[in-house]
Amino acid sequence: YKTNFKCLMPCNLYCPKDNYNLQNSHFLPALISKIHNAKIKNKKNFIIWGTGSPKRELMYVDDLADACIYFLNKKTKETLINIGSGFEKSILQYSKIILKELNLNLKIKKDLSKPDGTPRKILDISIAQKYGWKSKISFGEGFNKTYLEYKKKL
């Protein structure tokens, strides 16, 4: 039918309306919840699963919305385009970044009885970059928007 279909494949996304349930959330909302709970309960530490070494790429959800609009208006040869931030850190590094953003001095304990999961999840975003699209929202900016909204809901 000569229709130009495109499938945008995002990396792990996060946003203020995320799922913060510790039983079934993704790692970032779980970290936010664990760190916040440790903060309000005046605990000295919080627990992450496994070693904390698996690496994850994250992107704020508004960047995906921007990519959708961008590629709706762009002619492309490719039908599958990875959309990501290009920003990859270990779960342990994300934990430390969040502690720094919140000005907290909590100890990070590792529960080695829990699995690490996939060692690395980062997308090849070279096609999106070739067409001129890139993520605009830094992790710090996205995290602050997410955390402010998270605190309002408590």
Side-chain angles (χ1 to χ4, degrees), residues 48-110:
I48 61 171
W49 280 21
T51 64
S53 64
K55 293 183 176 182
R56 298 292 181 262
E57 177 183 19
L58 293 174
M59 186 172 65
Y60 191 69
V61 72
D62 287 359
D63 273 338
L64 178 60
D66 178 70
C68 289
I69 293 166
Y70 186 87
F71 283 102
L72 275 172
N73 297 307
K74 191 66 102 173
K75 286 212 179 268
T76 64
K77 287 188 242 171
E78 295 82 4
T79 56
L80 177 62
I81 303 170
N82 290 332
I83 303 298
S85 65
F87 180 78
E88 175 190 49
K89 297 286 183 193
S90 73
I91 292 171
L92 183 60
Q93 288 172 311
Y94 281 115
S95 300
K96 291 176 180 178
I97 292 168
I98 292 169
L99 290 174
K100 187 175 179 179
E101 286 286 329
L102 299 179
N103 198 28
L104 295 173
N105 190 21
L106 298 172
K107 183 172 177 164
I108 303 168
K109 291 195 169 188
K110 300 172 186 175

Side-chain angles (χ1 to χ4, degrees), residues 13-21 25-26 28-29 32 146 153:
L13 300 172
Y14 67 99
C15 68
K17 297 191 185 315
D18 224 320
N19 171 15
Y20 296 93
N21 183 313
S25 67
H26 288 275
L28 185 67
I32 291 170
T146 300
K153 293 180 181 180

